[in-house]
Amino acid sequence: MRNVILRTISIVVGILAVVAATSRSTAEIYDASTFEPSPFICPSDHSTNLTVFLELQPGAEKVRLSIPRGYFDPLLKLRDDTTREGQVLRVHGERFTPWPPELLLKRQEGPYVGILLTDYRPMVTVAEHFATQVRGYTVADVPDFNAVDSILGLETLVSDAPPYRDPETSVYNDTELYISRNSSGQITDVITCKKPGSIPYPGCRHYMESPLVDFDIDYSLKLLPHWQHMSRNARAFVSCITSNFL
């Protein structure tokens, strides 16, 4: 199972105001050094839970989700027992509590995490897919593609080959690719991150799988050092809300 122009003095005043506002808003963007990870604990009160069924492929067995309403985008009006192909949830990255609705438009100014519950894909397949995108090679193309340890406890997929360049735009790929393995050598996590400076707010997309539904989470590149916390809490959260008892 399983993207005015104004005249002289007004121009000067306007530019200064814009610069000040830009500097202020940039300074207010979330400082990852304040991140305080806390283990996720399944809530015991299910009175606000909403039941959603995921049918990842037409005619396939449905996966039952029981999710507190606070995790949904407040603009999304879902009814109980709704069937969907996938579901996005809004999460506060430190404790995996619902992201405050009043901060929905300020995702860059806090430890925002988005969870996408989606279809099943083996992690090695996911890794190969992104390796192809990043360099135009696959993980199996040794020695063209190699995994090296990084300081974050992840393996970074690197290659002597030049970065992949889009044949239509001639733009080089701006993504780094990381994987994590278990003690048996199996890939358990695949993480793609935009390189610093490639876009205004570079982020990471972190892919995982669970017995009933696969999922990925996205968060700021600043939070990559906390990927293990994200992995543990995301898996605990998904385990908490999924059930194969229909």
Side-chain angles (χ1 to χ4, degrees), residues 71-130:
Y71 285 99
F72 296 93
D73 188 320
L75 299 179
L76 186 63
K77 307 300 180 183
L78 286 180
R79 296 182 178 180
D80 235 358
D81 298 335
T82 297
T83 297
R84 297 172 65 84
E85 294 181 358
Q87 183 61 57
V88 175
L89 304 176
R90 317 294 186 181
V91 175
H92 194 288
E94 293 177 343
R95 297 168 181 78
F96 272 59
T97 52
W99 183 258
E102 65 273 15
L103 297 182
L104 197 56
L105 298 179
K106 299 182 178 182
R107 296 182 182 90
Q108 309 297 342
E109 299 181 26
Y112 173 82
V113 174
I115 296 183
L116 172 61
L117 301 162
T118 185
D119 203 356
Y120 171 79
R121 291 163 297 179
M123 286 298 101
V124 66
T125 302
V126 174
E128 290 175 350
H129 168 73
F130 286 111

Tab-separated table of all heavy atoms in Angstrom, residues 71-130:
chain	number	residue	atom	x	y	z
A	71	TYR	N	-4.844	19.228	13.979
A	71	TYR	CA	-3.750	18.976	13.054
A	71	TYR	C	-4.087	19.348	11.605
A	71	TYR	O	-3.203	19.412	10.762
A	71	TYR	CB	-3.328	17.509	13.098
A	71	TYR	CG	-2.527	17.151	14.330
A	71	TYR	CD1	-3.115	16.533	15.421
A	71	TYR	CD2	-1.168	17.454	14.410
A	71	TYR	CE1	-2.392	16.212	16.554
A	71	TYR	CE2	-0.424	17.137	15.532
A	71	TYR	CZ	-1.047	16.516	16.600
A	71	TYR	OH	-0.313	16.210	17.725
A	72	PHE	N	-5.358	19.551	11.314
A	72	PHE	CA	-5.756	19.885	9.956
A	72	PHE	C	-5.685	21.393	9.724
A	72	PHE	O	-5.842	22.189	10.647
A	72	PHE	CB	-7.191	19.402	9.692
A	72	PHE	CG	-7.362	17.914	9.748
A	72	PHE	CD1	-7.752	17.297	10.928
A	72	PHE	CD2	-7.142	17.128	8.630
A	72	PHE	CE1	-7.922	15.923	11.000
A	72	PHE	CE2	-7.301	15.752	8.689
A	72	PHE	CZ	-7.694	15.149	9.875
A	73	ASP	N	-5.457	21.765	8.483
A	73	ASP	CA	-5.538	23.175	8.104
A	73	ASP	C	-6.935	23.662	8.461
A	73	ASP	O	-7.934	23.038	8.077
A	73	ASP	CB	-5.296	23.300	6.588
A	73	ASP	CG	-5.169	24.743	6.141
A	73	ASP	OD1	-5.941	25.584	6.649
A	73	ASP	OD2	-4.327	25.028	5.280
A	74	PRO	N	-7.055	24.767	9.228
A	74	PRO	CA	-8.375	25.238	9.646
A	74	PRO	C	-9.294	25.593	8.477
A	74	PRO	O	-10.520	25.637	8.648
A	74	PRO	CB	-8.054	26.473	10.496
A	74	PRO	CG	-6.674	26.871	10.116
A	74	PRO	CD	-5.967	25.605	9.750
A	75	LEU	N	-8.723	25.839	7.296
A	75	LEU	CA	-9.541	26.152	6.125
A	75	LEU	C	-10.111	24.890	5.474
A	75	LEU	O	-10.992	24.979	4.619
A	75	LEU	CB	-8.718	26.929	5.094
A	75	LEU	CG	-8.159	28.279	5.544
A	75	LEU	CD1	-7.347	28.918	4.426
A	75	LEU	CD2	-9.298	29.203	5.959
A	76	LEU	N	-9.611	23.729	5.899
A	76	LEU	CA	-10.071	22.472	5.326
A	76	LEU	C	-11.263	21.950	6.127
A	76	LEU	O	-11.139	21.622	7.302
A	76	LEU	CB	-8.933	21.442	5.355
A	76	LEU	CG	-9.179	20.098	4.673
A	76	LEU	CD1	-9.407	20.294	3.187
A	76	LEU	CD2	-7.993	19.164	4.912
A	77	LYS	N	-12.403	21.887	5.486
A	77	LYS	CA	-13.632	21.444	6.154
A	77	LYS	C	-13.902	19.981	5.814
A	77	LYS	O	-14.531	19.652	4.812
A	77	LYS	CB	-14.815	22.322	5.737
A	77	LYS	CG	-14.589	23.813	5.917
A	77	LYS	CD	-14.297	24.173	7.366
A	77	LYS	CE	-14.081	25.676	7.539
A	77	LYS	NZ	-13.725	26.029	8.937
A	78	LEU	N	-13.401	19.082	6.656
A	78	LEU	CA	-13.587	17.655	6.440
A	78	LEU	C	-14.701	17.112	7.323
A	78	LEU	O	-14.889	17.555	8.454
A	78	LEU	CB	-12.299	16.887	6.751
A	78	LEU	CG	-11.151	16.986	5.743
A	78	LEU	CD1	-9.973	16.162	6.241
A	78	LEU	CD2	-11.582	16.518	4.368
A	79	ARG	N	-15.425	16.145	6.808
A	79	ARG	CA	-16.432	15.449	7.599
A	79	ARG	C	-15.870	14.136	8.103
A	79	ARG	O	-14.928	13.582	7.535
A	79	ARG	CB	-17.684	15.193	6.749
A	79	ARG	CG	-18.405	16.460	6.287
A	79	ARG	CD	-19.643	16.111	5.490
A	79	ARG	NE	-20.362	17.301	5.072
A	79	ARG	CZ	-21.486	17.273	4.369
A	79	ARG	NH1	-22.013	16.105	3.993
A	79	ARG	NH2	-22.082	18.401	4.022
A	80	ASP	N	-16.463	13.613	9.152
A	80	ASP	CA	-16.062	12.308	9.656
A	80	ASP	C	-16.240	11.260	8.561
A	80	ASP	O	-17.183	11.341	7.751
A	80	ASP	CB	-16.927	11.944	10.865
A	80	ASP	CG	-16.067	11.622	12.077
A	80	ASP	OD1	-14.840	11.655	11.953
A	80	ASP	OD2	-16.639	11.350	13.141
A	81	ASP	N	-15.361	10.271	8.537
A	81	ASP	CA	-15.413	9.149	7.604
A	81	ASP	C	-15.178	9.563	6.149
A	81	ASP	O	-15.622	8.876	5.229
A	81	ASP	CB	-16.742	8.397	7.724
A	81	ASP	CG	-16.946	7.796	9.102
A	81	ASP	OD1	-15.933	7.529	9.788
A	81	ASP	OD2	-18.105	7.607	9.504
A	82	THR	N	-14.491	10.677	5.942
A	82	THR	CA	-14.128	11.092	4.594
A	82	THR	C	-13.034	10.176	4.045
A	82	THR	O	-12.141	9.758	4.778
A	82	THR	CB	-13.602	12.546	4.596
A	82	THR	OG1	-14.648	13.408	5.032
A	82	THR	CG2	-13.159	12.975	3.203
A	83	THR	N	-13.106	9.849	2.758
A	83	THR	CA	-12.066	9.054	2.107
A	83	THR	C	-11.238	9.955	1.198
A	83	THR	O	-11.789	10.720	0.400
A	83	THR	CB	-12.680	7.911	1.269
A	83	THR	OG1	-13.376	7.011	2.139
A	83	THR	CG2	-11.589	7.141	0.530
A	84	ARG	N	-9.902	9.877	1.338
A	84	ARG	CA	-9.000	10.717	0.553
A	84	ARG	C	-7.837	9.879	0.019
A	84	ARG	O	-7.586	8.773	0.509
A	84	ARG	CB	-8.458	11.867	1.423
A	84	ARG	CG	-9.551	12.810	1.910
A	84	ARG	CD	-9.017	13.812	2.915
A	84	ARG	NE	-8.046	14.737	2.345
A	84	ARG	CZ	-8.361	15.844	1.692
A	84	ARG	NH1	-9.626	16.179	1.518
A	84	ARG	NH2	-7.414	16.652	1.217
A	85	GLU	N	-7.128	10.424	-0.980
A	85	GLU	CA	-5.970	9.726	-1.533
A	85	GLU	C	-4.706	10.015	-0.729
A	85	GLU	O	-3.735	9.278	-0.784
A	85	GLU	CB	-5.759	10.142	-2.990
A	85	GLU	CG	-6.877	9.697	-3.915
A	85	GLU	CD	-6.629	10.110	-5.350
A	85	GLU	OE1	-5.600	10.785	-5.596
A	85	GLU	OE2	-7.444	9.766	-6.215
A	86	GLY	N	-4.692	11.109	0.004
A	86	GLY	CA	-3.557	11.489	0.832
A	86	GLY	C	-4.004	12.598	1.768
A	86	GLY	O	-5.080	13.178	1.583
A	87	GLN	N	-3.221	12.883	2.773
A	87	GLN	CA	-3.617	13.898	3.747
A	87	GLN	C	-2.405	14.661	4.248
A	87	GLN	O	-1.379	14.068	4.594
A	87	GLN	CB	-4.348	13.264	4.932
A	87	GLN	CG	-4.860	14.255	5.943
A	87	GLN	CD	-5.864	15.229	5.324
A	87	GLN	OE1	-6.872	14.815	4.771
A	87	GLN	NE2	-5.570	16.511	5.421
A	88	VAL	N	-2.529	16.002	4.286
A	88	VAL	CA	-1.482	16.864	4.825
A	88	VAL	C	-1.885	17.324	6.215
A	88	VAL	O	-3.046	17.702	6.439
A	88	VAL	CB	-1.256	18.098	3.914
A	88	VAL	CG1	-0.246	19.043	4.554
A	88	VAL	CG2	-0.769	17.656	2.543
A	89	LEU	N	-0.942	17.281	7.159
A	89	LEU	CA	-1.190	17.723	8.529
A	89	LEU	C	-0.177	18.805	8.898
A	89	LEU	O	0.948	18.816	8.385
A	89	LEU	CB	-1.081	16.540	9.502
A	89	LEU	CG	-1.990	15.354	9.200
A	89	LEU	CD1	-1.707	14.215	10.173
A	89	LEU	CD2	-3.464	15.759	9.277
A	90	ARG	N	-0.582	19.719	9.787
A	90	ARG	CA	0.260	20.843	10.197
A	90	ARG	C	0.749	20.611	11.617
A	90	ARG	O	-0.056	20.493	12.550
A	90	ARG	CB	-0.547	22.143	10.142
A	90	ARG	CG	-1.419	22.303	8.910
A	90	ARG	CD	-0.603	22.442	7.642
A	90	ARG	NE	-1.437	22.731	6.488
A	90	ARG	CZ	-0.985	22.873	5.260
A	90	ARG	NH1	0.298	22.751	5.017
A	90	ARG	NH2	-1.797	23.132	4.263
A	91	VAL	N	2.082	20.571	11.795
A	91	VAL	CA	2.647	20.128	13.064
A	91	VAL	C	3.703	21.096	13.594
A	91	VAL	O	4.461	21.692	12.830
A	91	VAL	CB	3.281	18.723	12.886
A	91	VAL	CG1	3.984	18.272	14.142
A	91	VAL	CG2	2.221	17.715	12.485
A	92	HIS	N	3.739	21.238	14.908
A	92	HIS	CA	4.799	21.997	15.571
A	92	HIS	C	5.947	21.025	15.821
A	92	HIS	O	5.788	20.009	16.499
A	92	HIS	CB	4.280	22.573	16.892
A	92	HIS	CG	5.173	23.620	17.486
A	92	HIS	ND1	6.375	23.326	18.051
A	92	HIS	CD2	5.026	24.966	17.583
A	92	HIS	CE1	6.937	24.442	18.493
A	92	HIS	NE2	6.139	25.457	18.207
A	93	GLY	N	7.129	21.324	15.276
A	93	GLY	CA	8.212	20.356	15.244
A	93	GLY	C	8.808	19.948	16.570
A	93	GLY	O	9.423	18.892	16.665
A	94	GLU	N	8.679	20.762	17.605
A	94	GLU	CA	9.318	20.427	18.873
A	94	GLU	C	8.603	19.284	19.585
A	94	GLU	O	9.223	18.320	20.017
A	94	GLU	CB	9.390	21.670	19.756
A	94	GLU	CG	10.332	22.736	19.201
A	94	GLU	CD	10.340	24.002	20.033
A	94	GLU	OE1	9.397	24.187	20.842
A	94	GLU	OE2	11.267	24.815	19.885
A	95	ARG	N	7.304	19.388	19.691
A	95	ARG	CA	6.532	18.381	20.435
A	95	ARG	C	5.525	17.628	19.580
A	95	ARG	O	4.789	16.795	20.067
A	95	ARG	CB	5.826	19.051	21.619
A	95	ARG	CG	6.799	19.636	22.630
A	95	ARG	CD	6.109	20.546	23.627
A	95	ARG	NE	7.070	21.106	24.579
A	95	ARG	CZ	7.884	22.119	24.318
A	95	ARG	NH1	7.838	22.694	23.128
A	95	ARG	NH2	8.747	22.569	25.209
A	96	PHE	N	5.460	17.986	18.294
A	96	PHE	CA	4.514	17.384	17.357
A	96	PHE	C	3.065	17.591	17.803
A	96	PHE	O	2.219	16.716	17.625
A	96	PHE	CB	4.844	15.917	17.115
A	96	PHE	CG	5.830	15.750	15.980
A	96	PHE	CD1	7.074	16.351	16.034
A	96	PHE	CD2	5.495	15.029	14.852
A	96	PHE	CE1	7.985	16.229	14.996
A	96	PHE	CE2	6.398	14.904	13.793
A	96	PHE	CZ	7.647	15.501	13.862
A	97	THR	N	2.826	18.749	18.382
A	97	THR	CA	1.469	19.191	18.676
A	97	THR	C	0.949	19.945	17.448
A	97	THR	O	1.725	20.284	16.553
A	97	THR	CB	1.463	20.122	19.901
A	97	THR	OG1	2.440	21.164	19.695
A	97	THR	CG2	1.807	19.346	21.167
A	98	PRO	N	-0.369	20.210	17.364
A	98	PRO	CA	-0.886	20.933	16.191
A	98	PRO	C	-0.230	22.302	16.038
A	98	PRO	O	0.023	22.999	17.027
A	98	PRO	CB	-2.385	21.069	16.504
A	98	PRO	CG	-2.684	19.918	17.403
A	98	PRO	CD	-1.453	19.769	18.259
A	99	TRP	N	0.048	22.689	14.808
A	99	TRP	CA	0.593	24.015	14.530
A	99	TRP	C	-0.497	25.052	14.795
A	99	TRP	O	-1.619	24.915	14.312
A	99	TRP	CB	1.056	24.085	13.079
A	99	TRP	CG	1.689	25.397	12.726
A	99	TRP	CD1	1.111	26.420	12.029
A	99	TRP	CD2	3.001	25.838	13.078
A	99	TRP	NE1	1.988	27.466	11.909
A	99	TRP	CE2	3.161	27.144	12.544
A	99	TRP	CE3	4.057	25.269	13.783
A	99	TRP	CZ2	4.338	27.880	12.696
A	99	TRP	CZ3	5.227	25.989	13.939
A	99	TRP	CH2	5.360	27.276	13.401
A	100	PRO	N	-0.204	26.094	15.585
A	100	PRO	CA	-1.224	27.098	15.922
A	100	PRO	C	-1.834	27.739	14.678
A	100	PRO	O	-1.100	28.220	13.805
A	100	PRO	CB	-0.439	28.130	16.742
A	100	PRO	CG	0.735	27.374	17.289
A	100	PRO	CD	1.101	26.390	16.210
A	101	PRO	N	-3.145	27.754	14.552
A	101	PRO	CA	-3.799	28.329	13.359
A	101	PRO	C	-3.387	29.767	13.084
A	101	PRO	O	-3.250	30.168	11.927
A	101	PRO	CB	-5.293	28.234	13.698
A	101	PRO	CG	-5.382	27.126	14.684
A	101	PRO	CD	-4.126	27.208	15.500
A	102	GLU	N	-3.171	30.550	14.154
A	102	GLU	CA	-2.816	31.955	13.963
A	102	GLU	C	-1.419	32.130	13.356
A	102	GLU	O	-1.068	33.220	12.891
A	102	GLU	CB	-2.902	32.718	15.282
A	102	GLU	CG	-1.911	32.297	16.352
A	102	GLU	CD	-2.397	31.139	17.214
A	102	GLU	OE1	-3.381	30.480	16.797
A	102	GLU	OE2	-1.807	30.911	18.279
A	103	LEU	N	-0.620	31.064	13.352
A	103	LEU	CA	0.734	31.137	12.784
A	103	LEU	C	0.826	30.439	11.430
A	103	LEU	O	1.920	30.251	10.901
A	103	LEU	CB	1.748	30.510	13.740
A	103	LEU	CG	1.921	31.182	15.101
A	103	LEU	CD1	2.991	30.467	15.905
A	103	LEU	CD2	2.279	32.659	14.937
A	104	LEU	N	-0.324	30.071	10.857
A	104	LEU	CA	-0.317	29.329	9.605
A	104	LEU	C	0.369	30.101	8.490
A	104	LEU	O	1.034	29.525	7.633
A	104	LEU	CB	-1.747	28.981	9.197
A	104	LEU	CG	-1.903	27.882	8.140
A	104	LEU	CD1	-1.208	26.607	8.578
A	104	LEU	CD2	-3.363	27.634	7.832
A	105	LEU	N	0.233	31.429	8.492
A	105	LEU	CA	0.854	32.258	7.457
A	105	LEU	C	2.298	32.623	7.803
A	105	LEU	O	2.959	33.337	7.051
A	105	LEU	CB	0.039	33.536	7.238
A	105	LEU	CG	-1.408	33.318	6.748
A	105	LEU	CD1	-2.117	34.649	6.598
A	105	LEU	CD2	-1.419	32.560	5.423
A	106	LYS	N	2.793	32.140	8.949
A	106	LYS	CA	4.155	32.455	9.389
A	106	LYS	C	4.963	31.182	9.577
A	106	LYS	O	5.654	30.992	10.566
A	106	LYS	CB	4.118	33.259	10.689
A	106	LYS	CG	3.398	34.597	10.555
A	106	LYS	CD	3.439	35.369	11.857
A	106	LYS	CE	2.766	36.720	11.705
A	106	LYS	NZ	2.831	37.507	12.966
A	107	ARG	N	4.887	30.304	8.584
A	107	ARG	CA	5.573	29.018	8.695
A	107	ARG	C	7.087	29.183	8.790
A	107	ARG	O	7.770	28.353	9.373
A	107	ARG	CB	5.228	28.144	7.491
A	107	ARG	CG	3.749	27.764	7.400
A	107	ARG	CD	3.542	26.844	6.194
A	107	ARG	NE	2.153	26.479	6.007
A	107	ARG	CZ	1.292	27.154	5.270
A	107	ARG	NH1	1.682	28.258	4.657
A	107	ARG	NH2	0.051	26.765	5.125
A	108	GLN	N	7.604	30.275	8.187
A	108	GLN	CA	9.048	30.474	8.193
A	108	GLN	C	9.560	31.005	9.529
A	108	GLN	O	10.762	31.051	9.762
A	108	GLN	CB	9.448	31.447	7.072
A	108	GLN	CG	8.898	31.092	5.695
A	108	GLN	CD	9.402	29.762	5.177
A	108	GLN	OE1	10.404	29.248	5.661
A	108	GLN	NE2	8.722	29.203	4.196
A	109	GLU	N	8.656	31.399	10.399
A	109	GLU	CA	9.057	32.037	11.648
A	109	GLU	C	8.914	31.100	12.842
A	109	GLU	O	8.680	31.537	13.966
A	109	GLU	CB	8.244	33.318	11.858
A	109	GLU	CG	8.473	34.338	10.746
A	109	GLU	CD	7.699	35.620	10.940
A	109	GLU	OE1	7.384	35.954	12.097
A	109	GLU	OE2	7.414	36.287	9.946
A	110	GLY	N	9.049	29.836	12.604
A	110	GLY	CA	8.940	28.872	13.693
A	110	GLY	C	9.293	27.477	13.227
A	110	GLY	O	9.552	27.255	12.044
A	111	PRO	N	9.285	26.503	14.125
A	111	PRO	CA	9.660	25.120	13.765
A	111	PRO	C	8.501	24.372	13.123
A	111	PRO	O	8.039	23.344	13.613
A	111	PRO	CB	10.038	24.519	15.122
A	111	PRO	CG	9.154	25.242	16.085
A	111	PRO	CD	9.035	26.656	15.571
A	112	TYR	N	8.029	24.903	11.995
A	112	TYR	CA	6.879	24.307	11.314
A	112	TYR	C	7.276	23.000	10.618
A	112	TYR	O	8.326	22.913	9.979
A	112	TYR	CB	6.325	25.280	10.281
A	112	TYR	CG	5.241	24.704	9.401
A	112	TYR	CD1	3.919	24.653	9.854
A	112	TYR	CD2	5.533	24.198	8.146
A	112	TYR	CE1	2.920	24.122	9.048
A	112	TYR	CE2	4.545	23.663	7.336
A	112	TYR	CZ	3.235	23.626	7.794
A	112	TYR	OH	2.257	23.090	6.998
A	113	VAL	N	6.397	21.994	10.734
A	113	VAL	CA	6.577	20.723	10.041
A	113	VAL	C	5.269	20.363	9.346
A	113	VAL	O	4.200	20.421	9.949
A	113	VAL	CB	6.959	19.588	11.024
A	113	VAL	CG1	6.986	18.239	10.306
A	113	VAL	CG2	8.314	19.868	11.648
A	114	GLY	N	5.366	20.024	8.083
A	114	GLY	CA	4.199	19.524	7.367
A	114	GLY	C	4.343	18.026	7.174
A	114	GLY	O	5.418	17.539	6.811
A	115	ILE	N	3.290	17.275	7.440
A	115	ILE	CA	3.306	15.818	7.257
A	115	ILE	C	2.382	15.468	6.098
A	115	ILE	O	1.220	15.862	6.094
A	115	ILE	CB	2.838	15.075	8.522
A	115	ILE	CG1	3.796	15.318	9.685
A	115	ILE	CG2	2.729	13.572	8.246
A	115	ILE	CD1	3.428	14.536	10.944
A	116	LEU	N	2.906	14.735	5.143
A	116	LEU	CA	2.087	14.227	4.045
A	116	LEU	C	2.006	12.712	4.163
A	116	LEU	O	3.013	12.014	4.068
A	116	LEU	CB	2.694	14.609	2.691
A	116	LEU	CG	2.032	13.959	1.466
A	116	LEU	CD1	0.557	14.367	1.366
A	116	LEU	CD2	2.780	14.314	0.184
A	117	LEU	N	0.809	12.208	4.393
A	117	LEU	CA	0.566	10.773	4.445
A	117	LEU	C	0.266	10.330	3.026
A	117	LEU	O	-0.642	10.854	2.372
A	117	LEU	CB	-0.627	10.482	5.373
A	117	LEU	CG	-0.436	10.978	6.808
A	117	LEU	CD1	-1.768	11.075	7.535
A	117	LEU	CD2	0.514	10.072	7.564
A	118	THR	N	1.034	9.372	2.545
A	118	THR	CA	0.969	9.090	1.116
A	118	THR	C	1.132	7.602	0.830
A	118	THR	O	1.038	6.774	1.736
A	118	THR	CB	2.050	9.919	0.385
A	118	THR	OG1	1.925	9.734	-1.013
A	118	THR	CG2	3.452	9.519	0.831
A	119	ASP	N	1.400	7.275	-0.428
A	119	ASP	CA	1.429	5.893	-0.887
A	119	ASP	C	2.738	5.199	-0.525
A	119	ASP	O	3.743	5.842	-0.246
A	119	ASP	CB	1.233	5.866	-2.403
A	119	ASP	CG	0.710	4.523	-2.873
A	119	ASP	OD1	0.586	3.610	-2.041
A	119	ASP	OD2	0.422	4.395	-4.074
A	120	TYR	N	2.712	3.878	-0.551
A	120	TYR	CA	3.874	3.067	-0.189
A	120	TYR	C	4.929	3.078	-1.288
A	120	TYR	O	4.636	2.859	-2.466
A	120	TYR	CB	3.463	1.621	0.076
A	120	TYR	CG	4.649	0.698	0.238
A	120	TYR	CD1	5.343	0.655	1.435
A	120	TYR	CD2	5.087	-0.085	-0.809
A	120	TYR	CE1	6.449	-0.157	1.592
A	120	TYR	CE2	6.195	-0.904	-0.673
A	120	TYR	CZ	6.866	-0.935	0.536
A	120	TYR	OH	7.968	-1.732	0.679
A	121	ARG	N	6.174	3.326	-0.891
A	121	ARG	CA	7.329	3.200	-1.778
A	121	ARG	C	8.502	2.714	-0.930
A	121	ARG	O	8.808	3.332	0.082
A	121	ARG	CB	7.692	4.547	-2.413
A	121	ARG	CG	6.690	5.072	-3.417
A	121	ARG	CD	6.907	6.539	-3.667
A	121	ARG	NE	6.694	7.321	-2.455
A	121	ARG	CZ	6.839	8.635	-2.391
A	121	ARG	NH1	7.238	9.304	-3.445
A	121	ARG	NH2	6.602	9.278	-1.269
A	122	PRO	N	9.164	1.639	-1.303
A	122	PRO	CA	10.338	1.206	-0.532
A	122	PRO	C	11.373	2.327	-0.488
A	122	PRO	O	11.578	3.040	-1.472
A	122	PRO	CB	10.852	0.000	-1.322
A	122	PRO	CG	9.671	-0.482	-2.098
A	122	PRO	CD	8.885	0.745	-2.434
A	123	MET	N	12.041	2.491	0.648
A	123	MET	CA	12.974	3.592	0.802
A	123	MET	C	14.140	3.518	-0.179
A	123	MET	O	14.654	4.530	-0.635
A	123	MET	CB	13.506	3.642	2.236
A	123	MET	CG	12.495	4.162	3.247
A	123	MET	SD	11.967	5.883	2.951
A	123	MET	CE	10.359	5.608	2.147
A	124	VAL	N	14.570	2.308	-0.545
A	124	VAL	CA	15.662	2.203	-1.510
A	124	VAL	C	15.226	2.749	-2.864
A	124	VAL	O	16.009	3.373	-3.590
A	124	VAL	CB	16.160	0.744	-1.642
A	124	VAL	CG1	15.081	-0.156	-2.239
A	124	VAL	CG2	17.437	0.683	-2.476
A	125	THR	N	13.954	2.565	-3.199
A	125	THR	CA	13.418	3.105	-4.449
A	125	THR	C	13.361	4.619	-4.407
A	125	THR	O	13.676	5.299	-5.394
A	125	THR	CB	12.012	2.535	-4.715
A	125	THR	OG1	12.072	1.115	-4.765
A	125	THR	CG2	11.434	3.060	-6.019
A	126	VAL	N	12.969	5.147	-3.252
A	126	VAL	CA	12.927	6.599	-3.082
A	126	VAL	C	14.335	7.178	-3.217
A	126	VAL	O	14.551	8.194	-3.891
A	126	VAL	CB	12.319	6.970	-1.712
A	126	VAL	CG1	12.394	8.472	-1.469
A	126	VAL	CG2	10.868	6.503	-1.636
A	127	ALA	N	15.315	6.521	-2.581
A	127	ALA	CA	16.699	6.986	-2.651
A	127	ALA	C	17.202	6.978	-4.091
A	127	ALA	O	17.844	7.922	-4.552
A	127	ALA	CB	17.590	6.122	-1.769
A	128	GLU	N	16.913	5.910	-4.819
A	128	GLU	CA	17.349	5.808	-6.209
A	128	GLU	C	16.701	6.893	-7.066
A	128	GLU	O	17.341	7.480	-7.935
A	128	GLU	CB	17.021	4.424	-6.760
A	128	GLU	CG	17.882	3.315	-6.162
A	128	GLU	CD	17.461	1.942	-6.637
A	128	GLU	OE1	16.383	1.846	-7.278
A	128	GLU	OE2	18.196	0.978	-6.388
A	129	HIS	N	15.437	7.153	-6.799
A	129	HIS	CA	14.719	8.182	-7.556
A	129	HIS	C	15.382	9.547	-7.400
A	129	HIS	O	15.650	10.241	-8.392
A	129	HIS	CB	13.267	8.249	-7.084
A	129	HIS	CG	12.520	9.446	-7.581
A	129	HIS	ND1	12.102	9.573	-8.897
A	129	HIS	CD2	12.134	10.586	-6.952
A	129	HIS	CE1	11.490	10.740	-9.053
A	129	HIS	NE2	11.495	11.364	-7.883
A	130	PHE	N	15.676	9.920	-6.159
A	130	PHE	CA	16.269	11.236	-5.931
A	130	PHE	C	17.735	11.286	-6.339
A	130	PHE	O	18.242	12.337	-6.750
A	130	PHE	CB	16.079	11.663	-4.478
A	130	PHE	CG	14.675	12.074	-4.179
A	130	PHE	CD1	13.871	11.304	-3.349
A	130	PHE	CD2	14.132	13.218	-4.740
A	130	PHE	CE1	12.562	11.668	-3.084
A	130	PHE	CE2	12.825	13.596	-4.487
A	130	PHE	CZ	12.040	12.819	-3.661
